Every structure is written in C-alpha cells, then in structure tokens.
Amino acid sequence: MEEPDKEENHQVLKVLELLKQASHDLQLNPSPETTESNSSAIKALLELETESDTILSSDPNLSQLSHHLSCLKTLVETLQKTRGHGLRSFLRRRASTHEIARVAGSIESEIQAWIDRESLENLVKSLQGYSSSPSNSDENELIQLLTQFVDRVSQGFNRELQDLFLKSKVFSLLETTLCNPNCSKKLREHSAFAIEALIRFNKNVFVGQVLMGPTIQALISIGSVSSLTVLCSLIKTIKSPIVDEIEANEEIPKIIAFLSSREQEIRVMALNCIMEIGYFGRKEAIEAMINEGLIKKLVELQRSELGGDLIDVGRCQERGGGGGGAEENGERNGGRREVSREKYLKGHPFASCVVRFAVMLEVGEGLRQREKRAFKQEILKKVREASVSDAEAATIVAEVLWGSSP
C-alpha cells in the first residue's frame, strides 16, 4: 500500500470514529440543548450531511447513511421551530427528540458498518501485501491492524460483519500468515489470536476451516505461550471434534513434550491443554496421552518445587485457624479455602496435577462411565510405577481415590 493511501485511510477512519461518537452522544442525550445547531455533535453530523453529495455519493453502500443524515437535519430544524410553552409544543418536542435519538442510532450503525468495511479492507490488503514483500514497518502496521481486528470481533456477533468476513476470505489469509514460517513469531501469534476471535465470534461458521486446515499443527509447531493459549481456547470452544483431530494427526506427543520445556509458562500452558484434552477427549486421545508417559511426567511435576499437594492448604488453615464457634469458623474457613487454593496454585501451578487430571476425566464429556473407571485404575497403576517412594505413592493414590479437597 502506498504511503499517501495509508495516511488517507488513517485520516478517514479517524474522522469516522469521531462522527460515530457524535451520533452515539446524540442518541444518549437528544435533549433540546444538545440538538442546538451549535452543539458539537449536531455540528459534526450536519457538516457531514452538507458534504454528503461529494463524500458519500461515490459509495453505494453509503446511500442509507446519506438518507439518515438528511432526516436528522429535517428533525433538528423542526425541533428548533417548536419553541412554545404549551402542552402541544411540549409533546412535539418530546416526539422530535425521541425521533432524533432513533435516527442518531441508525447513523451510528451505518458509520460503524462503514468503519468495518474500511478496516477490513485495510487488513486484507496488508495481509496480501506482506505475504508478497514483507518488511519490519509493514509488520508493525499489520500487528496493529490485527489487534484492532480482534478488538472489533470480540464485541460480539454481527451478521453484516460476518458477511464481510466471508466475502473477504480473511480467515484464509490469517491462516496463511499463521502457517508461514517466514513470518515472525510475533506476527504469527497475532494471526492466531485473530483466528481465535473469529471462532468465538461464530463457531458454527469458522470451526470447519480450523478442523480441516493446518491451524492446529501450526499452533503446536510455534510452541510459544501465546500459541498454546490459543490452542487451549480452541479446545474449550470446539471441544471433542478438535481433540479428535489432535489425536488423529498424532500431535499429542508434541503437547506432552512441552511439559519438559525450560520455560515455566510453556509447561503451565501445556498442562492446561492436557487438562482440557482430558475433559473433552474420547478414549483414543486419553490412551494416547497415558501411553506417551503422561502420568509419569505429572508425578515428576508434582514432585518439583512448583508442585506439592493441595491437601497441604487445608492443613495450614487448620493450624492457623482462630477462635470462634464451629459454625462461624466453618463459614470463614469455607470462604478462605477457595482463595487459599487459588493463591497456592499461582505459586505452585503443578500442585496435585495428577488428581486434577484424574478429576477432569471423571467429570468430563468424552468418556463413558466404564471407560472412566478403567482409566482411573490405569492412572493408579502408573502412579505406583512412577513414584520414588511408598510415601509419595500413597499420598498421590489417596488424592486420586478420595480427592484433594481438605
């Protein structure tokens, strides 16, 4: 994209944002004072109406906006002529201000649609241009556009916006950038966040492209905290179908390998992914994880400095408990227990990770009851094999059998 064109697009979007804010303010407070022709909101919108023939006539998508602006001008002029103090004048002013608020809302919607078209067009052109001739300056601009895209998509479903996404084929462009090893890790991660936002925007429309495309493999190959965060989010959103794809593509060993990473945050995010796979995974996925030595790895993590047993939280609370009646102490300790548990997990993210995984299987959606019972016995067997002492084995087995809640 040429530099003058970039600057012009930036200025257009800036003006549109100001006009949208003006219409929003007018919609919220359409009183006679704010509808005076010298008020900032009215002045901005009426100036746009005055220039509508030159600014809006070239774009057929803006004909409705031009109509709304013309209606607003008429309503404001009508309201200004209604100056009496009688009941009829009062009712006319009330009706006019109500109608002005309605038209202002329509103007805001039309301007937002205009901004969406301009912003998406800029993003698509930047994605296409970067793939052909990447540069650092283009990358910084593209990351900014992707951040704005995620913010807009995260505002919720909009049918017109969805039509724009489908017509522009923006998902395919994002996926191409995500999977391009020549792009920087930062740019690929931002593309991943944009794909995640589209899935949350409308899972039913975009989930098929995730399952049939290379998105899952790309996220795992990047192997960063951000990419694993997106993968974990996709598992939560898409559930069993994406776990089936992960297992079918033999990606489970790679996810478990992240538990051995030198970076603590990567190990934590890998554990989060494994927990979600345990919750939504079917028999084949759980078998693949256990056969890959997952339980031994979890026992090692629980044994580490960042591990421990959640049951210790309850023991500390009992030793530190104050006076008071049994009922009073029970209520106070019950409230403190969850806070203490969360606080303990922040400093010890691998605490009781074996039982936490077993619980995810137990309460999860992917297994039948008999499969849950069989896997529980398999986990107990693997725990005994992986433990370095009888005491360690007994502690973890007790947690799995009876739970870790104090």
Side-chain angles (χ1 to χ4, degrees):
M1 187 185 296
E2 296 295 329
E3 196 64 33
D5 291 339
K6 292 180 182 178
E7 184 63 25
E8 182 181 350
N9 283 330
H10 177 73
Q11 292 298 330
V12 167
L13 289 174
K14 187 175 181 180
V15 171
L16 289 176
E17 288 289 353
L18 292 173
L19 290 170
K20 189 184 81 166
Q21 185 60 47
S23 60
H24 182 74
D25 294 342
L26 183 59
Q27 180 185 0
L28 293 179
N29 188 24
S31 64
E33 292 77 13
T34 58
T35 52
E36 292 290 339
S37 58
N38 60 355
S39 73
S40 58
I42 285 293
K43 185 181 291 186
L45 293 171
L46 292 185
E47 284 179 0
L48 179 60
E49 194 279 333
T50 302
E51 300 293 332
S52 63
D53 289 341
T54 56
I55 297 176
L56 307 180
S57 59
S58 60
D59 191 340
N61 293 315
L62 301 177
S63 59
Q64 195 64 30
L65 176 58
S66 180
H67 171 71
H68 290 318
L69 289 169
S70 179
C71 289
L72 177 65
K73 181 180 180 180
T74 302
L75 287 168
V76 170
E77 291 173 349
T78 301
L79 182 61
Q80 290 172 348
K81 294 175 182 178
T82 310
R83 293 298 185 184
H85 297 285
L87 178 60
R88 179 177 298 179
S89 297
F90 172 77
L91 293 175
R92 284 178 177 174
R93 286 196 299 272
R94 292 281 293 180
S96 295
T97 54
H98 176 76
E99 188 65 15
I100 286 173
R102 187 191 66 79
V103 173
S106 299
I107 292 174
E108 182 183 5
S109 298
E110 290 294 330
I111 292 177
Q112 182 61 63
W114 190 2
I115 293 173
D116 291 338
R117 288 192 296 270
E118 291 289 331
S119 300
L120 186 60
E121 182 180 349
N122 289 343
L123 175 60
V124 168
K125 287 182 178 178
S126 296
L127 287 169
Q128 292 171 336
Y130 187 85
S131 62
S132 58
S133 57
S135 69
N136 290 334
S137 59
D138 289 340
E139 179 180 311
N140 293 333
E141 179 195 359
L142 185 50
I143 288 174
Q144 184 179 2
L145 290 173
L146 287 169
T147 302
Q148 294 170 354
F149 177 81
V150 171
D151 290 342
R152 175 66 183 102
V153 174
S154 300
Q155 293 177 19
F157 179 75
N158 179 289
R159 188 171 297 279
E160 289 73 23
L161 195 57
Q162 177 177 279
D163 291 339
L164 289 176
F165 294 155
L166 295 174
K167 290 176 182 176
S168 67
K169 296 182 172 56
V170 67
F171 187 97
S172 298
L173 292 170
L174 292 170
E175 190 175 58
T176 299
T177 305
L178 170 66
C179 300
N180 187 352
N182 296 323
C183 295
S184 69
K185 179 185 287 188
K186 186 176 181 181
L187 179 57
R188 297 174 72 188
E189 288 172 345
H190 276 80
S191 299
F193 286 129
I195 288 175
E196 176 199 6
L198 283 174
I199 295 299
R200 286 187 280 106
F201 177 81
N202 191 342
K203 179 179 72 171
N204 296 331
V205 169
F206 297 105
V207 69
Q209 298 182 66
V210 170
L211 296 178
M212 294 186 293
T215 295
I216 300 170
Q217 294 92 319
L219 292 172
I220 295 173
S221 69
I222 294 173
S224 66
V225 174
S226 294
S227 69
L228 291 179
T229 300
V230 172
L231 179 64
C232 190
S233 174
L234 293 179
I235 295 172
K236 288 180 182 178
T237 304
I238 304 175
K239 303 180 180 180
S240 296
I242 195 172
V243 176
D244 293 343
E245 288 298 314
I246 292 173
E247 189 275 326
N249 293 324
E250 300 181 349
E251 301 289 349
I252 284 178
K254 299 176 185 177
I255 297 175
I256 293 177
F258 289 129
L259 293 175
S260 302
S261 172
R262 294 181 179 180
E263 296 184 41
Q264 176 186 329
E265 290 182 332
I266 290 181
R267 297 199 302 273
V268 172
M269 283 312 308
L271 181 62
N272 290 343
C273 288
I274 286 166
M275 294 297 177
E276 297 302 328
I277 292 173
Y279 187 89
F280 294 110
R282 302 184 218 274
K283 178 183 177 183
E284 294 76 12
I286 309 304
E287 282 180 342
M289 289 197 291
I290 291 179
N291 292 338
E292 196 59 32
L294 172 63
I295 304 304
K296 180 180 179 181
K297 195 65 200 172
L298 293 180
V299 171
E300 292 172 356
L301 290 172
Q302 186 164 333
R303 189 189 304 141
S304 68
E305 293 181 359
L306 298 175
D309 305 315
L310 288 178
I311 198 169
D312 291 339
V313 178
R315 290 170 181 162
C316 291
Q317 287 176 343
E318 289 172 5
R319 289 196 296 269
E327 184 176 348
E328 179 185 349
N329 283 336
E331 291 177 358
R332 184 167 58 244
N333 289 337
R336 274 199 313 236
R337 185 175 299 144
E338 283 302 315
V339 176
S340 299
R341 185 179 187 275
E342 293 300 320
K343 185 177 180 180
Y344 187 79
L345 280 174
K346 284 184 178 179
H348 302 79
F350 306 120
S352 295
C353 56
V354 177
V355 68
R356 284 157 56 197
F357 176 72
V359 168
M360 293 300 274
L361 300 190
E362 183 69 27
V363 301
E365 302 176 1
L367 300 175
R368 299 182 177 91
Q369 283 300 322
R370 65 173 181 274
E371 293 170 342
K372 292 178 180 180
R373 290 192 294 268
F375 279 124
K376 188 171 186 177
Q377 294 303 314
E378 184 68 15
I379 289 172
L380 293 172
K381 175 184 173 184
K382 297 291 184 182
V383 165
R384 295 186 180 97
E385 293 174 356
S387 298
V388 295
S389 67
D390 291 341
E392 180 183 61
T395 300
I396 300 177
V397 166
E399 281 191 311
V400 175
L401 286 175
W402 310 114
S404 61
S405 298

